[in-house]
Amino acid sequence: MTASSLRPQQVCVLGSTGSIGTNTLDVIARHPDRYRVFALSAMSRVDELLAQCLTHQPRFAVLPDARLAADLRQRLSEAGARTEVLEGLQALSDIAAHPDVDAVMAAIVGAAGLAPAMAAARAGKRLLLANKEAIVLGGALFMRAVEQGGATLLPIDSEHSAIFQCLPEDRTTWHERIDHIVLTASGGPFRQRDPATLADVTPDQACAHPNWVMGRKISVDSATMMNKALEVIEARWLFNLQPEQVKVIIHPQSIIHSMVVCRDNSVLAQLGTPDMRVPIAYGLSFPERITSGASRLDLLATSGLSFEDADERRFPGLHLSWRALRSAEGSTAVLNAANEEAVAAFLSRGLRFDQICQVNRLALDEVQPQSGEVDSVEGLLALDARARRHAQSQIQRLSSQH
């Protein structure tokens, strides 16, 4: 039976107004015979969510805030739209696990995406994971939910999708073949900047990524290389590797998205233009391939591919990932929580750029996961909250020294 003869897959897009969400809707719109939008969610962008609902006509739309949900409900009603508006955090998990949903794009930024991603995993959905924080926070608990629910977990980060595409479909043979994997990193906007000058970096400068168009939080993470640190943690869980089997190298052109080094020293790499629609299309259609809308890589026009060491002096945040992985279970959740608070403070000009890593390091030093905090979503969220309080106190202390 061909894919075109099947009913269209019903897709839930969590975080639909962000860059991953909008790119997902673009890919879906290119294949109306294969996919339908079942539900959309956003944090606060009512205008954008309204436009998406009018275009894609989902069955449900979700906003966590009741006031914003009421506003959207009224405006959809005035437009004659039939989309039902739900409100509250529980509604995110409800639509992710809805029996009519086939695939869930988990693109909510930060720890807020853990619960709905877990709900989709437990419900056995095709789970397209763009929210790396869910697996960084959840770790073993998240992967158990995927296994127990029978979910199909497909990474959407370009690096992890590249690794996935280079590996055989039979996961039982992965470890017989792999020596290690190499995640590539662009180096962000400050790759060649003197680290001594980073105290003066502004939010707009940090968000000006040279290759990718992303949201402000992930753009700052790319500038500090904390984004890559979280990807190291994610790769360890996704591919069941030891921390030392995950390596990082700077590749400024963002053409090679990542590599697998086999035991015979063959190197397998996935190449393409820096466009998130490629991994999104692959996740939606796996194991098939569909058109993504991305431009084709012109090898003849590619001037050259270069590689650099991910220097710890320039990118100290990156190296916190291996430390967290070797520490007590739950330490990766502490690192993620501290980073979210530090980045938010930087974006609101309450913390210097060069102090983000300092806040993260202090959290790892001083917040120790307690027994029972890693065994449930509730425990992990309690640990997350404890780490955030610690980070906030450090941010307040550092900001008072400005």
Side-chain angles (χ1 to χ4, degrees), residues 15-45:
S16 65
T17 60
S19 60
I20 297 294
T22 55
N23 277 311
T24 301
L25 293 176
D26 179 86
V27 174
I28 288 174
R30 295 172 187 275
H31 303 276
D33 57 324
R34 297 182 60 123
Y35 307 106
R36 293 281 190 278
V37 177
F38 179 84
L40 300 173
S41 84
M43 176 58 72
S44 59
R45 298 177 182 173

Side-chain angles (χ1 to χ4, degrees), residues 237-254:
W237 289 109
L238 281 174
F239 306 115
N240 192 23
L241 300 170
Q242 295 302 312
E244 59 270 17
Q245 288 182 284
V246 184
K247 304 181 186 300
V248 174
I249 193 168
I250 304 297
H251 170 50
Q253 295 80 24
S254 296

Side-chain angles (χ1 to χ4, degrees), residues 248-364:
V248 174
I249 193 168
I250 304 297
H251 170 50
Q253 295 80 24
S254 296
I255 297 298
I256 296 177
H257 297 300
S258 280
M259 295 170 273
V260 173
V261 180
C262 302
R263 290 192 175 182
D264 62 1
N265 285 331
S266 296
V267 180
L268 309 179
Q270 187 263 335
L271 286 70
T273 54
D275 191 320
M276 286 306 300
R277 290 177 294 180
V278 174
I280 290 169
Y282 185 72
L284 284 169
S285 63
F286 174 81
E288 300 178 49
R289 298 272 184 171
I290 59 173
T291 57
S292 65
S295 59
R296 183 171 296 174
L297 178 63
D298 186 348
L299 291 172
L300 296 178
T302 302
S303 59
L305 304 179
S306 61
F307 305 94
E308 303 165 8
D309 180 46
D311 177 55
E312 185 170 2
R313 190 180 75 91
R314 186 175 296 278
F315 303 115
L318 167 64
H319 294 265
L320 294 178
S321 59
W322 289 285
R323 177 184 164 191
L325 283 170
R326 294 186 179 103
S327 301
E329 187 175 353
S331 296
T332 57
V334 171
L335 177 61
N336 176 71
N339 183 63
E340 287 190 20
E341 292 298 321
V343 171
F346 167 69
L347 287 172
S348 63
R349 298 181 181 273
L351 191 70
R352 294 201 317 260
F353 179 83
D354 63 322
Q355 293 175 322
I356 294 174
C357 183
Q358 186 175 350
V359 171
N360 295 345
R361 185 183 294 110
L362 286 169
L364 281 181

Side-chain angles (χ1 to χ4, degrees), residues 219-233:
S219 294
V220 174
D221 282 348
S222 181
T224 63
M225 287 278 276
M226 270 304 301
N227 188 47
K228 202 58 53 178
L230 299 179
E231 288 175 10
V232 168
I233 298 167

